[in-house]
Amino acid sequence: MSEKRPTPLFRQKLEVLLLTRRSDVLSRAKNLISQYYLTFKHIEDLAVYDGSDRELSLAQLIVVAQEDKESLHDFSIRIEGLLERFKKSFFVTILHESSLKENIEGTQRDRVIPLSPPEFFNTLKFEYICLQKARSQFFEMASSDLFPMTQLPFTVSVKLERNQKFLNVVYKGWTLSEAKHQRLQNVKTLYFQGFEGGQYYEYINTYFDASGAALKKKARALFLSIASLWLEMNDYLLFDFKSGGTTKIQENYTKLVGQVEQLVELINTEENLWDVFREAADNDLFATFRAPWVATYAAIICKKSGQGDPIVAFMSGLFSDVGLFDLQEAVVQKFIHDGEKDLNEAETREIAKHPILSLNRCLIKKVPINEAVKTVLVCVHERSDQKGYPNQVPQDKLPFEGHALRFAEMIDLGVRTTMAETGVGFRFLKEKLWEKEQSQPGNFSLEFLNAIAESLI
């Protein structure tokens, strides 16, 4: 995999605040902090802290552990106090194993993600939270996305070069004046907050038509809106002790389906949108967690080939890998970054668990997926030669959408490895992957490969 993007020399925003005395929690957190060069501060006792309270109040993510002899009741009270003191920060709380048997309702708040010890120490969940909350809250946009004298339904920000802090320059609800619009034309990159992806798309959809460059802007904006909904869904789907309630999850899922249907309509146009989606966003979170891209590539394959249901492929792609978050971190990292080729037998057995885990997590969290999506979720890693997993399903029983998602995962892995390392073109990459699979049938049947050939152009 390509190296991480360069880290700015002067990056002064406080990304992670560690409030704990526990050495095991500190060791785990600092390992991840050093891996991504996150800015952090460690304070054992806020009562004796004599530094800048303003700096602490701007911490993007706060890690708080239940101390060795602290009861769940006392821990809950402490969290309530911290929520009041740090009104803009998100929290990760690490509970004792014994506390999980108690009523943990007191630790559940909108800005709090409680983790069990296995979730915190052994899975990708803590890394995912750090990258989402501390590194990837903003999406890029171009100054050409904005029109003067229009009311903006989202806040526009710039990033300061020296300290990498984001500065709001036009607030949600404001009318963009002609003078400010002219000034923003000189800014190379503008940003909006990820949770306002839907509002950003509504603006683009209002002021741009569906042809040429405007269509590409609309497709990118819609993709980012879907990605923001996916991130919101993950807050409830991935974490055992976080729940938005059945109604909230169903509403989010319904919005996702509606926007995916709109995206499929854009895919059906004559415009080639492969590269638009590939280049849609670039940040530390999306360098690792790729479900929106895999889902989109699979939907394009289905739609352009006229085979399978692109909506089923897309929705399945968004959730087919959530089971990876329940597996051993080291094995999953290897699988995500390098694919299956270098996994040993034990690692392959571990990874083979995740399709069923993905389905179970969706069912437990009451995500309203239909029967077609349920079927595809457990077939993404099946092969035409019946050597896949988890069930070695016969070729004639495999859904087309499952094969499309597996091929899409291969495309995405190639983008992050071969393409990033060699600079080959995207179309060349897709075609060479197709040629390789056709010369070595096993992953896919020749019938499938022939059916998707034209869709990859």
Side-chain angles (χ1 to χ4, degrees):
M1 187 171 176
S2 59
E3 295 181 359
K4 292 187 178 66
R5 57 188 56 77
T7 303
L9 181 60
F10 301 104
R11 185 163 45 81
Q12 298 172 354
K13 61 180 180 180
L14 181 57
E15 292 172 315
V16 181
L17 174 60
L18 304 174
L19 299 179
T20 182
R21 294 184 175 87
R22 286 177 51 182
S23 59
D24 57 342
V25 172
L26 289 173
S27 176
R28 165 66 167 157
K30 288 181 178 180
N31 282 340
L32 187 62
I33 285 167
S34 64
Q35 180 182 348
Y36 287 98
Y37 304 100
L38 297 165
T39 56
F40 80 100
K41 185 178 288 291
H42 172 220
I43 300 175
E44 287 190 359
D45 188 352
L46 279 172
V48 296
Y49 175 70
D50 59 359
S52 168
D53 208 47
R54 182 178 183 279
E55 179 191 18
L56 297 188
S57 68
L58 297 176
Q60 291 164 294
L61 184 67
I62 300 177
V63 178
V64 189
Q66 187 179 1
E67 300 298 334
D68 292 335
K69 296 183 179 181
E70 187 176 24
S71 70
L72 182 60
H73 175 72
D74 290 341
F75 184 57
S76 300
I77 293 175
R78 183 154 66 97
I79 295 300
E80 288 295 333
L82 292 172
L83 284 167
E84 183 63 28
R85 179 168 179 175
F86 301 98
K87 297 183 181 297
K88 295 184 178 180
S89 303
F90 287 91
F91 288 77
V92 170
T93 61
I94 301 94
L95 304 171
H96 290 321
E97 195 73 46
S98 59
S99 294
L100 304 180
K101 301 175 183 179
E102 302 181 45
N103 182 355
I104 65 169
E105 183 179 351
T107 68
Q108 297 191 34
R109 297 292 183 270
D110 287 343
R111 291 187 287 127
V112 178
I113 298 179
L115 296 182
S116 67
E119 286 182 304
F120 178 74
F121 291 107
N122 303 325
T123 74
L124 281 175
K125 293 182 180 182
F126 180 57
E127 176 175 334
Y128 173 88
I129 298 167
C130 283
L131 295 182
Q132 183 192 0
K133 303 302 184 185
R135 276 289 170 84
S136 306
Q137 323 92 303
F138 289 84
F139 294 163
E140 294 183 1
M141 60 179 290
S143 57
S144 59
D145 291 351
L146 303 176
F147 289 92
M149 305 312 297
T150 57
Q151 187 178 68
L152 298 184
F154 55 90
T155 296
V156 178
S157 303
V158 297
K159 185 160 67 171
L160 305 179
E161 291 186 7
R162 180 172 177 81
N163 58 23
Q164 298 297 293
K165 291 181 179 178
F166 289 91
L167 178 67
N168 298 333
V169 291
V170 185
Y171 286 91
K172 177 179 180 179
W174 284 15
T175 297
L176 182 61
S177 68
E178 183 71 47
K180 177 153 285 190
H181 179 262
Q182 287 297 324
R183 291 198 296 273
L184 291 180
Q185 297 307 297
N186 298 320
V187 180
K188 182 179 180 181
T189 306
L190 300 173
Y191 299 85
F192 65 91
Q193 294 189 67
F195 66 83
E196 293 186 322
Q199 292 91 321
Y200 171 69
Y201 167 64
E202 288 175 9
Y203 182 86
I204 296 295
N205 193 41
T206 299
Y207 293 103
F208 289 88
D209 59 29
S211 62
L215 173 64
K216 292 181 178 180
K217 278 187 180 289
K218 186 173 293 191
R220 177 182 181 270
L222 184 50
F223 176 90
L224 293 180
S225 179
I226 290 170
S228 68
L229 281 173
W230 171 73
L231 291 172
E232 182 181 346
M233 193 77 159
N234 280 351
D235 272 358
Y236 306 115
L237 190 61
L238 297 181
F239 306 111
D240 292 338
F241 307 109
K242 183 82 173 177
S243 177
T246 302
T247 301
K248 177 69 174 179
I249 291 173
Q250 290 178 342
E251 288 177 352
N252 195 318
Y253 190 83
T254 300
K255 288 180 184 178
L256 269 173
V257 172
Q259 295 202 349
V260 169
E261 289 173 345
Q262 294 177 57
L263 192 66
V264 169
E265 288 183 18
L266 296 183
I267 290 172
N268 198 40
T269 63
E270 294 301 316
E271 193 72 45
N272 189 325
L273 300 175
W274 276 102
D275 284 288
V276 172
F277 298 125
R278 178 181 62 82
E279 300 169 351
D282 180 27
N283 59 44
D284 285 312
L285 178 75
F286 289 144
T288 300
F289 304 105
R290 304 288 299 176
W293 279 266
V294 173
T296 302
Y297 297 159
I300 293 176
I301 291 172
C302 289
K303 190 64 180 179
K304 294 296 186 180
S305 68
Q307 302 288 320
D309 186 332
I311 307 296
V312 170
F314 203 113
M315 301 310 295
S316 302
L318 288 180
F319 306 117
S320 63
D321 279 345
V322 295
L324 291 175
F325 287 86
D326 293 313
L327 302 179
Q328 292 294 315
E329 177 183 24
V331 178
V332 176
Q333 286 282 20
K334 186 176 180 181
F335 173 72
I336 290 175
H337 292 164
D338 302 318
E340 299 175 343
K341 60 184 177 66
D342 294 327
L343 297 179
N344 60 37
E345 186 176 345
E347 291 168 339
T348 299
R349 285 198 302 271
E350 178 77 357
I351 290 297
K353 301 173 185 176
H354 88 267
I356 298 298
L357 293 174
S358 296
L359 174 60
N360 287 343
R361 189 160 281 278
C362 288
L363 296 178
I364 290 169
K365 291 290 187 172
K366 294 183 171 55
V367 181
I369 54 177
N370 60 30
E371 292 302 317
V373 172
K374 292 176 185 177
T375 300
V376 174
L377 281 178
V378 295
C379 287
V380 175
H381 295 281
E382 298 288 358
R383 294 165 49 109
S384 64
D385 59 8
Q386 292 186 243
K387 295 181 179 179
Y389 55 82
N391 297 315
Q392 295 78 53
V393 178
Q395 164 63 29
D396 61 348
K397 302 295 184 182
L398 289 174
F400 184 91
E401 300 90 346
H403 266 343
L405 279 165
R406 183 170 173 80
F407 200 92
E409 283 191 345
M410 292 180 176
I411 292 174
D412 186 66
L413 179 62
V415 168
R416 295 182 287 118
T417 54
T418 304
M419 190 171 173
E421 293 162 3
T422 65
V424 301
F426 191 25
R427 177 172 174 175
F428 178 84
L429 172 75
K430 290 179 291 177
E431 292 177 350
K432 286 301 178 184
L433 174 60
W434 183 88
E435 291 173 2
K436 177 183 176 183
E437 294 302 321
Q438 190 184 50
S439 67
Q440 303 172 12
N443 277 315
F444 310 99
S445 67
L446 291 178
E447 290 81 4
F448 170 80
L449 292 170
N450 291 334
I452 71 169
E454 295 297 322
S455 71
L456 301 177
I457 298 173

